[in-house]
Amino acid sequence: MKESHSGKLASEWKKLLSDSSVTCEQVDIAPAVSAFMAAKDDEELKSVQAAASLTSTLLKYHVAPKLESILDKESKTTHDMFAAQIEARLGDSAKGPDMKVWSRFKGHPDIDFPSLEFCYPPIVISKSSKSGYDLRYTVESSDDNIAHKGVLLVSLGLRYKSYCTNIARTFIVDPNTAQEMQYNLLLSLQSELIATMKDGVSVRDVYQHALAYIRERQPDLEKHFVKNLGFGMGIEFRDSAYVLSSKSARTLKKNMIFNLDLGFSDLTDSNGQKYSLHLADTVKIDTSASVLMTEGSKSPKDTLFFLNPESEDEKPKGKDKNRAFVPKANGSPTKQKTIAGKVLRNQTRRAAQDEVHQTALAKLIEHQRELHERLQADGLQKFSEDGGGNGGKEGKGWKKFQSYKGEGALPIEVERLRIHVDRKTQTVILPIHGFAVPFHINTIKNASKSDEGDFTYLRINFQTPGQLAGKKEDTPFEDPDATFIRSVSYRSPDGHRFDNICKQITDLKKEANKREQQKKEMADVIEQGSLVEIKGRRPAKMTEAFIRPALDGKRLPGEVEIHQNGIRYQSLGSQKVDILFSNVKHLFFQPCDHELLVVVHLNLKAPIMIGKKKAFDIQFFREATDVQFDETGNRKRKHRYGDEDEIEMEQQERKRRTLLNKEIKAFAEKIAEAASASTLELDIPFRELSFEGVPFRTSARLQPTTECLVHLTDPPFLVVTLAEIEIASLERVQYGLKQFDLVFIFKDFTKTPLHINSIQSSQMDDVKNWLDSVDIPMSEGPVNLNWGPIMKHINESPYEFFQQGGWTFLGGAGGVESDHSEASDSESEFEADEEELVSVASSDDASDFNDSNASGSDASGSDFGGGDDESDEGDDWDELERKAAKADQKRAEGGRKAGSDDSDNDRPKKKATSKPNGKTKGKR
């Protein structure tokens, strides 16, 4: 356990007083107090690191792209308006944080956003600012428009759980050579100081080292350098005891946090205009060097924009005025194409965007490579050399069936030595060599009857090993090498009796199969414990609520009550449903902002019975529209003309929805609070990250949450826990196709893969970025895979599967780049021909996964109709041209026979009659 600050101070105090040469008057504990208070412990460092990561995310994914867009489009945006837009990314009580930005940070699910705030209002400064270039953090953004040329300064800082971080950047549009050199000097100086600032170094020495560094490279900039290099940070944004100036004699200690603040002020360009440069980051002091905690948008290619072909101080003269702009040898590369000295602005920005996209793609590929390597290592570690696979047969064993306990229990009808079907004991009694031999119905496969001449033959087939060609043979026998009777046949002249017996055996077998199937379906249904009601006070309630799946009887609203160990739904029809917190896996709240219902959804660990059906998902909802609300306006129509009443109704509707969201969300939070012992947390879908797909038979909007991918609007509901996903496979990814499919393979290999079909190709990048952000490995392929046989093979020996490369057969290092996967030299035994992969429907003898929603099911819903052959296995261009030439030749010959030239064939034919086979024949 770490020693607290007060304990450290006490030990320091005792150490000082133990020195006999030191008197009480001489003891000054202020430096010790300040030093120990400035150093952060592990918990504090976690909060600072989270704040630093969020600050960097906001800069990289909102501030820099937004500023670039303003400069490119020359938008008339004021400094304070842009600052307010930055501040609005945190949202408010009515509108939550902008997850389009914050979700880029991989640790965002663990962030408590109510504990996140700005240290100061964001500062935006350009050459048009009234206040000029002021590097202090107390300045405010002005209300004049942002200048689209020159130097722009942006500063912002975030405080998370009371701990602060800060970042400041300089952006320059059309920089001259001097400005580029000055900015590059700031970058190199920051790198130098990060290496210099370490445990035990004096603050004064750090500042003197910075001055010496500038004096050596550009002495004329020394007078413009800032008076201090920043300050210590923590709970206070600026720790005045640790200002990095030439006058401070303090010593840097490990785990101190500083705002390393560099800049040049009062600089003048060739036109006599003043400007400043500013670069600030949050750093942590360590033993050998400092650690940079904030990052992003700092290199020249991210901060220096070249929108014009030449800078103002380098205009060509005379006949060279139309020459194309050539980048300076020592400057940053330009990002534009030029024609006769003019820059194509769209090309400039497109080139920059392409560069950003390529960088993002490179990062995604690298991260996916790391995920796949980790997946392969975990797979080898998880499964032992003995294979670890059982093909999903772990619950199967030899079953014994007992029809009667003894001979005395046999029915009296056996004395006649005739075939008898005993429905009570589910047994068929057969006479064999003068003895009545009972056979339980589960030992009988089927019965058949045939007529030959005057006799009727009854054949009874039994369950024996080796009947199913091996692949689907899953009925274990106690001694498979024993001698088995495969069938028994009887002959009788009484055909009517054999008809009756065959029907009885068939019906009894159907009943036994149905009973067995119901038993399998209900195997995972649990019997919940008793609900402990709250006593002494009224439980929290959600009134006028409906439940899905619906209860038997009329559709009546009810109340949801929160008790000690669970919740209870009680309808007006006196039907009750109890759900214990210990059986709740996920809790969701979906607002009615874009829906007709506001929903509280519970996903269960084990299903419970609702009426006569089992349910994994239970939902309580209220309708967002008020049926009792009068939309006609009544008497208002007599006095109001125009749209005033419609506007008022829309405002009232919006207000009603807001209040309803607030009420139901508060109730859902109470559920999470009451279930705190079960570590149940409330999860809200991110609609801005949603996409359309077909997980079942109809299209649905799928919305990611912190821990899941859900569809909660209409049944059947979908809740996929992200932590249970092994890998995601993107299929039918081909140029020209408008849709692709997504398949989730679960870590439990016996579980059927989940197919989400017909996702729009325009959303592919969003889906990939989301999967990568939640650390799910993914692959990409041009055709659909037949996952039934693949999972069957994996289940037989998972260790052998990972020994042979595991999921690398899906393509490349992560499979996110089709070219990379196609160029892979390594082959796997799981590779299949394209013709085989296209065929998704497998026969009953092929796999146990035939009931899965394969990509070839009815739910595929792809938009290329019957054109699969053209898109996946179509003819090449040579073949198509040959067919087209042949068709033209036939048309020309037909035209000559009809006595007309080729142009006549292009005319529409009259009265085309339809034949039954769908072909038409024109009358000539």
Side-chain angles (χ1 to χ4, degrees):
M1 182 176 179
K2 296 194 75 173
E3 191 177 15
S4 63
H5 293 315
S6 58
K8 292 178 182 178
L9 292 175
S11 61
E12 183 71 14
W13 176 258
K14 291 178 182 178
K15 178 181 177 183
L16 291 171
L17 291 184
S18 63
D19 189 351
S20 58
S21 63
V22 179
T23 63
C24 292
E25 289 79 4
Q26 293 172 322
V27 175
D28 181 13
I29 66 168
V33 171
S34 181
F36 284 120
M37 292 301 289
K40 307 297 185 291
D41 60 22
D42 291 343
E43 285 299 319
E44 293 173 315
L45 288 176
K46 286 182 181 178
S47 299
V48 174
Q49 183 59 64
S53 300
L54 291 167
T55 307
S56 303
T57 300
L58 182 61
L59 174 70
K60 288 192 292 185
Y61 298 109
H62 178 71
V63 177
K66 183 68 175 178
L67 181 61
E68 190 174 350
S69 175
I70 292 173
L71 297 176
D72 180 37
K73 298 177 181 178
E74 296 185 353
S75 304
K76 293 184 178 181
T77 306
T78 62
H79 301 86
D80 56 354
M81 184 187 301
F82 185 33
Q85 291 174 359
I86 297 172
E87 204 166 1
R89 296 312 98 194
L90 281 184
D92 50 29
S93 57
K95 182 181 179 182
D98 183 3
M99 296 312 299
K100 287 184 179 179
V101 176
W102 304 117
S103 62
R104 299 299 188 106
F105 171 46
K106 291 184 174 58
H108 76 276
D110 301 326
I111 296 298
D112 179 22
F113 281 97
S115 301
L116 183 65
E117 59 181 347
F118 281 91
C119 301
Y120 56 89
I123 301 171
V124 182
I125 298 175
S126 70
K127 68 179 183 180
S128 61
S129 297
K130 298 175 182 177
S131 58
Y133 288 98
D134 193 338
L135 302 186
R136 294 175 298 175
Y137 293 105
T138 54
V139 70
E140 295 183 359
S141 302
S142 59
D143 58 356
D144 36 25
N145 290 333
I146 295 175
H148 301 126
K149 290 185 178 181
V151 178
L152 298 98
L153 306 181
V154 178
S155 304
L156 56 102
L158 289 177
R159 178 185 287 112
Y160 181 64
K161 293 184 178 179
S162 302
Y163 288 91
C164 304
T165 54
N166 187 62
I167 199 168
R169 292 290 183 264
T170 298
F171 300 90
I172 311 177
V173 181
D174 292 332
N176 54 41
T177 305
Q179 289 173 335
E180 286 190 67
M181 295 176 64
Q182 292 161 3
Y183 185 76
N184 288 327
L185 178 61
L186 271 187
L187 290 178
S188 60
L189 176 60
Q190 186 189 65
S191 301
E192 180 71 17
L193 293 181
I194 287 175
T196 304
M197 296 172 65
K198 55 187 175 182
D199 188 13
V201 176
S202 170
V203 171
R204 183 187 295 114
D205 295 341
V206 175
Y207 189 84
Q208 294 300 330
H209 183 78
L211 282 181
Y213 189 87
I214 295 173
R215 194 180 301 121
E216 180 183 352
R217 285 159 178 77
Q218 292 193 40
D220 56 322
L221 291 178
E222 182 179 353
K223 61 183 178 181
H224 298 287
F225 192 55
V226 291
K227 303 305 178 185
N228 62 72
L229 303 179
F231 42 81
M233 301 177 72
I235 294 179
E236 292 185 9
F237 176 69
R238 185 179 188 274
D239 188 352
S240 57
Y242 270 88
V243 177
L244 301 177
S245 66
S246 60
K247 300 177 182 179
S248 177
R250 302 296 176 93
T251 302
L252 302 179
K253 299 289 184 182
K254 183 180 179 181
N255 290 339
M256 286 184 174
I257 303 297
F258 282 92
N259 174 40
L260 182 56
D261 195 334
L262 309 177
F264 298 116
S265 58
D266 293 329
L267 297 171
T268 307
D269 61 15
S270 58
N271 295 330
Q273 292 183 339
K274 296 279 187 180
Y275 68 93
S276 298
L277 303 181
H278 196 193
L279 180 64
D281 276 295
T282 304
V283 299
K284 181 186 74 171
I285 306 300
D286 212 336
T287 307
S288 57
S290 298
V291 178
L292 195 63
M293 304 187 76
T294 53
E295 59 181 359
S297 301
K298 184 164 54 178
S299 63
K301 69 176 184 179
D302 295 326
T303 57
L304 305 183
F305 302 139
F306 297 83
L307 299 183
N308 289 330
E310 63 249 348
S311 54
E312 294 178 359
D313 60 343
E314 294 183 354
K315 291 181 180 179
K317 297 179 181 179
K319 49 188 176 180
D320 290 338
K321 62 182 180 179
N322 288 330
R323 66 178 177 88
F325 175 66
V326 179
K328 297 172 281 295
N330 60 344
S332 301
T334 57
K335 305 178 187 176
Q336 79 279 358
K337 296 181 180 179
T338 58
I339 296 179
K342 297 181 180 180
V343 176
L344 303 180
R345 177 176 289 272
N346 292 336
Q347 289 287 359
T348 301
R349 204 49 59 197
R350 188 182 306 137
Q353 291 173 354
D354 290 344
E355 186 175 352
V356 171
H357 292 161
Q358 291 172 3
T359 305
L361 179 61
K363 289 182 178 179
L364 184 142
I365 293 175
E366 181 63 28
H367 185 232
Q368 282 295 312
R369 183 175 287 107
E370 295 174 2
L371 292 177
H372 278 259
E373 290 174 357
R374 189 190 314 163
L375 186 66
Q376 175 69 9
D378 292 345
L380 291 173
Q381 184 179 1
K382 180 179 178 181
F383 299 101
S384 59
E385 290 193 21
D386 59 0
N390 41 40
K393 302 175 187 175
E394 63 275 13
K396 297 176 182 177
W398 171 252
K399 295 181 181 179
K400 293 185 178 180
F401 307 100
Q402 186 176 21
S403 300
Y404 305 102
K405 291 185 178 180
E407 189 178 347
L410 290 171
I412 195 171
E413 288 82 0
V414 300
E415 295 179 357
R416 301 173 60 187
L417 287 179
R418 303 180 72 185
I419 300 175
H420 176 67
V421 180
D422 190 352
R423 299 183 64 88
K424 184 178 180 181
T425 58
Q426 301 181 51
T427 303
V428 178
I429 304 174
L430 303 177
I432 299 177
H433 295 297
F435 294 94
V437 182
F439 292 90
H440 195 277
I441 191 62
N442 286 331
T443 64
I444 296 176
K445 183 180 179 182
N446 54 39
S448 61
K449 179 187 71 70
S450 61
D451 296 322
E452 293 183 12
D454 297 333
F455 294 96
T456 300
Y457 290 84
L458 178 65
R459 180 185 177 94
I460 299 176
N461 299 313
F462 298 99
Q463 300 280 7
T464 56
Q467 289 182 332
L468 300 175
K471 269 197 172 181
K472 205 177 179 182
E473 179 59 68
D474 56 0
T475 305
F477 288 85
E478 194 170 37
D479 183 9
D481 296 328
T483 301
F484 290 85
I485 298 177
R486 178 155 290 185
S487 64
V488 174
S489 298
Y490 292 89
R491 186 183 71 173
S492 171
D494 190 353
H496 178 71
R497 170 170 167 76
F498 271 13
D499 282 342
N500 191 24
I501 291 175
C502 185
K503 186 176 182 303
Q504 289 181 17
I505 295 175
T506 303
D507 293 343
L508 191 61
K509 185 63 180 176
K510 287 181 180 178
E511 292 175 7
N513 290 339
K514 185 178 180 181
R515 196 160 36 247
E516 190 70 20
Q517 187 66 26
Q518 290 176 348
K519 186 178 179 181
K520 285 182 180 179
E521 289 181 359
M522 299 302 170
D524 53 353
V525 177
I526 63 168
E527 194 69 34
Q528 293 190 121
S530 301
L531 184 74
V532 180
E533 298 184 11
I534 289 182
K535 296 181 180 179
R537 64 180 178 86
R538 291 184 177 180
K541 292 184 179 181
M542 172 182 169
T543 58
E544 297 295 322
F546 294 91
I547 187 173
R548 290 195 295 196
L551 301 175
D552 297 335
K554 294 183 178 179
R555 182 177 179 270
L556 297 173
E559 293 181 344
V560 187
E561 300 176 347
I562 304 176
H563 293 278
Q564 288 187 19
N565 64 337
I567 61 177
R568 168 174 289 171
Y569 175 80
Q570 186 167 357
S571 69
L572 296 180
S574 300
Q575 297 184 12
K576 292 182 181 180
V577 176
D578 292 343
I579 307 168
L580 301 186
F581 293 139
S582 58
N583 191 33
V584 179
K585 187 176 182 181
H586 298 291
L587 172 65
F588 303 101
F589 165 72
Q590 180 173 287
C592 59
D593 295 336
H594 303 277
E595 307 289 347
L596 297 176
L597 307 176
V598 56
V599 167
V600 176
H601 189 97
L602 288 85
N603 178 249
L604 306 182
K605 298 176 184 176
I608 63 173
M609 295 300 296
I610 301 292
K612 297 180 180 179
K613 297 182 179 179
K614 69 174 184 178
F616 271 100
D617 295 275
I618 297 177
Q619 189 177 99
F620 307 108
F621 66 92
R622 290 255 296 268
E623 295 178 349
T625 55
D626 188 357
V627 264
Q628 297 180 352
F629 178 68
D630 186 6
E631 295 184 353
T632 61
N634 288 340
R635 284 175 293 181
K636 293 181 181 179
R637 289 281 183 180
K638 297 179 181 179
H639 308 289
R640 291 185 179 181
Y641 301 94
D643 296 333
E644 293 89 352
D645 47 354
E646 282 83 0
I647 295 173
E648 182 181 348
M649 285 189 290
E650 288 178 3
Q651 292 174 345
Q652 291 177 356
E653 174 74 15
R654 197 177 300 114
K655 186 176 180 181
R656 268 200 318 276
R657 286 177 175 264
T658 302
L659 292 175
L660 186 60
N661 283 338
K662 186 176 180 181
E663 176 188 349
I664 305 304
K665 183 179 180 181
F667 178 79
E669 289 173 346
K670 289 179 181 177
I671 295 178
E673 183 180 350
S676 57
S678 304
T679 64
L680 187 64
E681 295 184 0
L682 182 63
D683 217 350
I684 301 176
F686 303 130
R687 188 176 178 87
E688 57 272 14
L689 300 178
S690 64
F691 56 91
E692 293 281 342
V694 183
F696 304 111
R697 292 187 176 273
T698 57
S699 179
R701 177 171 291 277
L702 306 172
Q703 303 182 82
T705 70
T706 304
E707 299 178 351
C708 303
L709 177 68
V710 301
H711 168 63
L712 309 177
T713 306
D714 300 305
F717 306 117
L718 176 69
V719 178
V720 183
T721 305
L722 301 181
E724 297 177 356
I725 296 175
E726 173 89 354
I727 190 172
S729 174
L730 282 72
E731 302 178 349
R732 284 201 302 121
V733 180
Q734 296 186 39
Y735 179 76
L737 294 187
K738 295 181 180 179
Q739 296 173 328
F740 70 99
D741 301 332
L742 176 63
V743 181
F744 287 131
I745 297 90
F746 298 98
K747 293 181 179 178
D748 180 6
F749 293 155
T750 61
K751 194 174 180 181
T752 307
L754 172 68
H755 293 251
I756 300 176
N757 300 325
S758 305
I759 305 172
Q760 294 299 320
S761 297
S762 59
Q763 294 185 296
M764 185 180 299
D765 289 341
D766 295 335
V767 173
K768 284 184 179 180
N769 291 332
W770 166 67
L771 290 172
D772 187 65
S773 67
V774 294
D775 293 340
I776 294 180
M778 55 184 166
S779 67
E780 185 177 303
V783 292
N784 293 118
L785 301 180
N786 194 349
W787 284 101
I790 292 175
M791 297 309 298
K792 181 82 170 179
H793 188 92
I794 293 174
N795 274 310
E796 290 175 357
S797 180
Y799 180 76
E800 182 183 352
F801 169 70
F802 282 102
Q803 277 289 92
Q804 295 175 353
W807 300 107
T808 54
F809 80 94
L810 292 174
V816 293
E817 209 173 12
S818 299
D819 295 339
H820 182 82
S821 61
E822 290 172 5
S824 176
D825 294 333
S826 61
E827 295 184 357
S828 169
E829 67 173 286
F830 296 98
E831 293 280 2
D833 293 337
E834 189 168 315
E835 295 179 359
E836 297 176 1
L837 296 176
V838 171
S839 176
V840 180
S842 58
S843 62
D844 292 341
D845 295 339
S847 170
D848 290 330
F849 292 86
N850 292 313
D851 295 333
S852 66
N853 184 12
S855 52
S857 65
D858 296 339
S860 178
S862 63
D863 65 335
F864 41 88
D868 289 349
D869 295 338
E870 296 177 8
S871 59
D872 288 346
E873 298 179 298
D875 299 324
D876 56 15
W877 286 109
D878 295 335
E879 183 67 13
L880 291 174
E881 289 176 358
R882 188 183 64 78
K883 289 183 177 180
K886 189 175 181 181
D888 291 341
Q889 184 179 1
K890 285 184 177 181
R891 187 177 63 177
E893 291 175 359
R896 285 193 295 270
K897 290 179 181 179
S900 61
D901 57 11
D902 293 340
S903 61
D904 293 336
N905 292 298
D906 296 331
R907 299 173 185 171
K909 299 175 182 178
K910 298 180 180 179
K911 296 184 180 180
T913 57
S914 176
K915 287 187 176 183
N917 60 359
K919 297 182 180 179
T920 58
K921 181 177 180 181
K923 295 182 179 179
R924 297 183 179 179

